[in-house]
Amino acid sequence: MSATLPRPELIRNAAVQYVQAGLSVIQTDLKSKQPVGTWKRYQSERMNPRHIMQQAHTWKAIGLVCGQVSGNLECLDFDHKAAWFPTWRDLVEAEQPGLVDRLTQQKTQNDGLHAPYRCPEVTIPGSMKLAYDRIPVDGPGDH
């Protein structure tokens, strides 16, 4: 089964809308999800929508740069088919009912889940692991 590639104009239009919403956008590789080309400058400045309109017609995927440049955007990334999302959801709902339903929730290409949100009054310290999970693997030795 092969994935359908997004149409270039949809990627371009989404990138422009994200920038207009105050988010920093970069081009990413569709499979690896890694940034394409030089992107460090977009950790401190947003791309110009005009530049996106000229360049993004070849983009296959986009990513958002979190942190101050995107209005203190932060993103929780639930891997492993979002196995821990229900537990997290229950904990958050116990403290702040209705909050999780107000968050954007994006399914990832590997059946994980992203939950981006902004913290305008808090300095975001940068990317960090909040939790780890053991994954069983085959073979001898410690893993």
Side-chain angles (χ1 to χ4, degrees):
M1 181 165 79
S2 63
T4 303
L5 292 177
R7 294 195 327 255
E9 66 272 12
L10 295 178
I11 295 291
R12 183 185 61 235
N13 292 344
V16 168
Q17 288 176 346
Y18 283 140
V19 170
Q20 290 172 338
L23 300 170
S24 183
V25 178
I26 57 172
Q27 178 187 11
T28 59
D29 181 80
L30 185 61
K31 291 186 180 187
S32 73
K33 302 185 276 184
Q34 296 297 312
V36 173
T38 305
W39 70 278
K40 292 287 186 184
R41 72 187 272 194
Y42 300 114
Q43 289 180 307
S44 58
E45 68 181 74
R46 287 189 294 278
M47 196 176 294
N48 183 311
R50 186 176 308 151
H51 176 76
I52 292 171
M53 292 302 288
Q54 294 169 348
Q55 302 296 318
H57 64 279
T58 60
W59 293 7
K60 303 286 190 264
I62 56 177
L64 299 176
V65 179
C66 293
Q68 185 177 11
V69 70
S70 290
N72 288 342
L73 180 71
E74 196 168 52
C75 184
L76 296 176
D77 182 4
F78 295 90
D79 291 326
H80 310 297
K81 301 189 186 308
W84 288 102
F85 180 77
T87 302
W88 175 82
R89 179 188 184 93
D90 291 345
L91 290 169
V92 172
E93 286 298 309
E95 292 294 320
Q96 198 69 48
L99 176 62
V100 176
D101 289 335
R102 293 193 323 257
L103 295 175
T104 298
Q105 299 171 31
Q106 304 163 322
K107 185 177 177 184
T108 67
Q109 66 188 23
N110 295 319
D111 291 325
L113 186 102
H114 287 163
Y117 58 93
R118 282 182 166 155
C119 296
E121 297 163 6
V122 177
T123 300
I124 304 301
S127 185
M128 65 175 60
K129 297 276 186 192
L130 298 177
Y132 298 88
D133 194 11
R134 294 182 183 257
I135 303 169
V137 293
D138 295 331
D142 292 330
H143 301 282

